Amino acid sequence: MATSSILWSFIFLTVFSSFCLHTSADSPRRFIECLTKHSTNSESISQVIFTPANASYNPILQLTLQNLRFNNSETRKPLVIITPVDESQIQSVIYCARQTNMNIRIRGGGHDFEGVSYTASVPFIMLDMINFDRVNIDLKSRTAWVQPGLSLGQLYYKISQTSDVLAFPAGLWSTVGITGFLGGGGYGMMKRKYGLAADNTLDARIMDFNGKIHDRKSMGEDLFWAIRGGDPASFCVVLEWKIKLVPVPKLVTYFAVLRTLEQNGSALFQKWQTIAPNVFPRDLDVRVVVDTITTSSSAREDKKTVRFVFQSLFLGKIDTLLPIMQEHFPELGLRREDCLETSWIQTAPLFSNFTVGTDPKILLNKTAIPRPFVKIKSSFAAQPISLEGLNGIWDLWLKQPVQTMLIQYTPFGGRMNEFAESALPFPHRPGVLYMINMAVTTAGDAGGANLKWINDLFKYYAPFVTKNPRTSYVNYRDADLGTGSKTYEEASIWGKKYYKNNFDRLVKIKSVVDPQNFFNHKQSIPLLY
């Protein structure tokens, strides 16, 4: 007991000096005192509590702080960070947060583009799940139980060490956390074959606001539906997911073909809009990444042009792929030498922008990918954009003096078309041709030119994308759509844009499973009343 008293007394002094302007200094002290009192081992819990008094506080806070836009002195920091190593510690955190009226944020991979897992407008504590990173693979059933602190790269690598013909249809960026990813639905380069990652999730273990643990059966189908695409951080703490592994051939094919405006890039993109989602077989996914470069072939005085990167994963060999491309997209001019035939795991680093031949072990490194200062927006296209409309987009690019922006166009179709809008909270499937993901750096953007550019581009797309409502993807969270979750009316402003009519069902479920709104953030699912 003496050790516990020394621990919280020491922390209290530093917390008081750092945070007295923001909240009562008594709150974090009482929270830490509660943790030490209600934990089975006060010495063990003390090792996973971090405040600004600890030398480890900033390294832990920044370890998975993926968007450097929030790495500044103006952003409120957590009063306390807890990095639990067992479930009983999470139960203690929930109990003590409720007892001391502390707001809680839950962080997995830290890729939330508006930082809601590690920032808040009110004093808060952060539950960082980084130590929950185990995988248990069952080859016989082709399933795996995965913990929420796991990154996609770690998952991919560990699957590959067990089987070379199984995979999981998840995302591209290796440092993305599994729970945030699944919590938004989760798409990747195999979605046209197997659907979303959430479609391939079979069970989950969660902890509710009372600290009780549930699986799919005891939580009920409503809540299980909600956490697979409807933001689990609005409902619970996820402890574990059971996922279904999918078959992949021993050899797959990757290509990335670059074209510019001068190489007929706009016309190629115009054709891509219809064939990528509607014509290509499900084994083939071709996305387009667009940016600007300078090149001597440009006729412009500034030598700028727009570059189109047609990047693909094909679940088969080159000899099968080439005739498909020749039949449906001969204009791209794909050649054998453009293609890489290799194992699925060898392609995974390529979609995280690592070079060909990079050892897949890089996927285990949660800090290997550079972190940007970034603002993200997204939309969904249900109709092809005319060549005139596309050229207007490229004109906006070429007028922008800064070349630190990017658009990713992700085709849907195939298996994605076979789900009703209500199958999961993620409603963007029947009739969607492709998703548009716009990103711009905010580093050095003191005058706001880059933010103005992405806002102008977002407005330009309005006639060409979904309407009533104009929809966006929750995993590309955008605070410009609206914030606030105190009331249904307030949250509907942004909620309908992410979830369409599924928002109402999410609100009803939230009102039943978390009636005190314990789990909340600026874009969390609200209560009905």
Side-chain angles (χ1 to χ4, degrees):
M1 195 62 185
T3 301
S4 301
S5 300
I6 292 171
L7 173 68
W8 65 252
S9 296
F10 172 71
I11 292 174
F12 164 72
L13 293 175
T14 300
V15 170
F16 177 83
S17 62
S18 300
F19 296 100
C20 61
L21 295 178
H22 303 297
T23 188
S24 168
D26 192 49
S27 298
R29 178 189 65 80
R30 288 190 299 110
F31 172 75
I32 294 169
E33 182 180 20
C34 178
L35 277 184
T36 57
K37 180 180 179 181
H38 291 278
S39 297
T40 55
N41 186 323
S42 61
E43 292 293 335
S44 176
I45 194 70
S46 70
Q47 295 173 10
V48 298
I49 299 174
F50 303 91
T51 75
N54 304 109
S56 299
Y57 174 88
N58 279 327
I60 289 172
L61 176 63
Q62 296 182 24
L63 182 61
T64 57
L65 195 159
Q66 303 291 350
N67 189 350
L68 296 184
R69 184 157 62 97
F70 301 104
N71 189 27
N72 55 59
S73 58
E74 289 76 34
T75 300
R76 188 189 295 271
K77 308 299 190 297
L79 299 174
V80 185
I81 300 173
I82 304 95
T83 58
V85 295
D86 64 54
E87 294 174 358
S88 68
Q89 292 174 340
I90 301 174
Q91 288 172 318
S92 297
V93 169
I94 290 176
Y95 173 80
C96 291
R98 293 185 63 192
Q99 290 295 308
T100 58
N101 294 315
M102 292 290 291
N103 278 270
I104 187 171
R105 297 294 181 268
I106 308 163
R107 184 168 75 171
H111 263 274
D112 190 299
F113 287 111
E114 293 291 351
V116 301
S117 63
Y118 50 84
T119 68
S121 60
V122 296
F124 71 104
I125 61 174
M126 185 173 77
L127 181 64
D128 193 329
M129 302 296 289
I130 191 168
N131 292 323
F132 277 66
D133 61 355
R134 292 187 294 277
V135 182
N136 184 12
I137 298 172
D138 184 344
L139 289 179
K140 185 176 180 180
S141 64
R142 294 187 174 184
T143 61
W145 281 97
V146 299
Q147 291 189 315
L150 199 74
S151 70
L152 298 184
Q154 289 175 313
L155 174 60
Y156 295 160
Y157 186 80
K158 291 180 180 182
I159 293 172
S160 74
Q161 297 304 292
T162 306
S163 170
D164 59 357
V165 291
L166 291 175
F168 185 61
L172 284 67
W173 223 237
S174 65
T175 54
V176 170
I178 188 71
T179 290
F181 180 77
L182 285 175
Y187 75 90
M189 295 298 290
M190 292 190 285
K191 63 191 169 300
R192 302 187 67 253
K193 176 80 170 182
Y194 295 115
L196 300 174
D199 295 320
N200 295 277
T201 302
L202 305 174
D203 203 342
R205 294 178 64 252
I206 66 162
M207 189 176 295
D208 67 15
F209 76 103
N210 283 316
K212 294 182 179 179
I213 296 174
H214 302 276
D215 60 10
R216 178 174 181 173
K217 182 178 180 180
S218 63
M219 79 174 79
E221 288 303 305
D222 276 349
L223 182 53
F224 186 61
W225 174 87
I227 63 175
R228 292 174 299 144
D231 181 26
S234 293
F235 301 94
C236 60
V237 177
V238 175
L239 304 174
E240 212 169 6
W241 300 96
K242 184 179 183 181
I243 60 174
K244 178 175 67 176
L245 305 182
V246 301
V248 292
K250 288 190 174 183
L251 291 176
V252 302
T253 303
Y254 169 90
F255 70 76
V257 174
L258 282 58
R259 297 289 185 262
T260 64
L261 283 177
E262 293 75 18
Q263 296 169 318
N264 212 27
S266 192
L268 290 172
F269 182 88
Q270 185 186 28
K271 182 169 184 179
W272 169 91
Q273 292 180 98
T274 54
I275 61 172
N278 293 331
V279 177
F280 283 156
R282 298 182 181 196
D283 289 331
L284 176 59
D285 194 308
V286 181
R287 71 177 192 146
V288 185
V289 181
V290 179
D291 62 4
T292 56
I293 60 171
T294 56
T295 174
S296 58
S297 63
S298 172
R300 292 171 54 92
E301 185 176 345
D302 59 10
K303 295 302 178 184
K304 285 175 62 177
T305 190
V306 176
R307 175 174 62 177
F308 306 80
V309 181
F310 294 84
Q311 188 182 40
S312 174
L313 177 68
F314 175 61
L315 300 177
K317 297 183 178 181
I318 295 175
D319 287 340
T320 306
L321 171 64
L322 289 176
I324 294 171
M325 294 297 293
Q326 181 59 35
E327 178 183 359
H328 299 300
F329 202 10
E331 298 88 346
L332 186 62
L334 183 68
R335 305 166 301 170
R336 178 176 292 272
E337 51 266 37
D338 296 323
C339 302
L340 172 67
E341 190 175 274
T342 186
S343 64
W344 171 77
I345 193 61
Q346 290 287 343
T347 69
L350 302 178
F351 292 106
S352 289
N353 285 346
F354 295 111
T355 57
V356 172
T358 298
D359 190 330
K361 283 186 178 179
I362 195 71
L363 301 172
L364 299 174
N365 187 340
K366 290 187 175 182
T367 62
I369 297 176
R371 304 176 198 191
F373 295 77
V374 67
K375 175 64 181 178
I376 298 285
K377 290 183 176 293
S378 62
S379 290
F380 293 88
Q383 300 293 331
I385 301 175
S386 67
L387 188 59
E388 179 183 5
L390 292 173
N391 287 335
I393 297 171
W394 320 140
D395 287 343
L396 277 175
W397 279 76
L398 295 172
K399 290 175 183 175
Q400 174 69 359
V402 182
Q403 296 186 21
T404 47
M405 53 262 194
L406 190 78
I407 308 182
Q408 298 177 106
Y409 297 90
T410 302
F412 279 19
R415 179 79 173 123
M416 295 288 282
N417 278 341
E418 296 175 357
F419 291 87
E421 285 190 354
S422 59
L424 288 178
F426 181 101
H428 323 285
R429 296 208 260 196
V432 172
L433 289 181
Y434 56 90
M435 179 165 57
I436 306 163
N437 172 23
M438 299 159 260
V440 66
T441 183
T442 61
D445 189 29
N450 290 6
L451 289 177
K452 181 181 184 303
W453 175 83
I454 197 170
N455 285 327
D456 289 345
L457 182 63
F458 189 75
K459 291 175 184 176
Y460 181 91
Y461 270 111
F464 309 114
V465 296
T466 53
K467 301 175 181 65
N468 302 317
R470 178 178 180 174
T471 52
S472 294
Y473 179 35
V474 69
N475 272 3
Y476 294 140
R477 198 181 294 278
D478 180 7
D480 294 343
L481 301 179
T483 58
S485 55
K486 293 181 180 179
T487 67
Y488 172 84
E489 290 75 17
E490 183 182 56
S492 293
I493 295 172
W494 53 263
K496 298 282 188 176
K497 297 170 185 175
Y498 289 143
Y499 305 112
K500 300 179 74 172
N501 291 333
N502 293 334
F503 178 70
D504 288 341
R505 183 179 175 189
L506 289 169
V507 171
K508 292 176 182 177
I509 296 168
K510 166 75 171 182
S511 301
V512 171
V513 303
D514 185 22
Q516 297 179 14
N517 200 24
F518 176 75
F519 298 105
N520 68 85
H521 54 74
K522 65 184 178 183
Q523 281 191 345
S524 59
I525 304 299
L527 299 176
L528 185 59
Y529 43 84

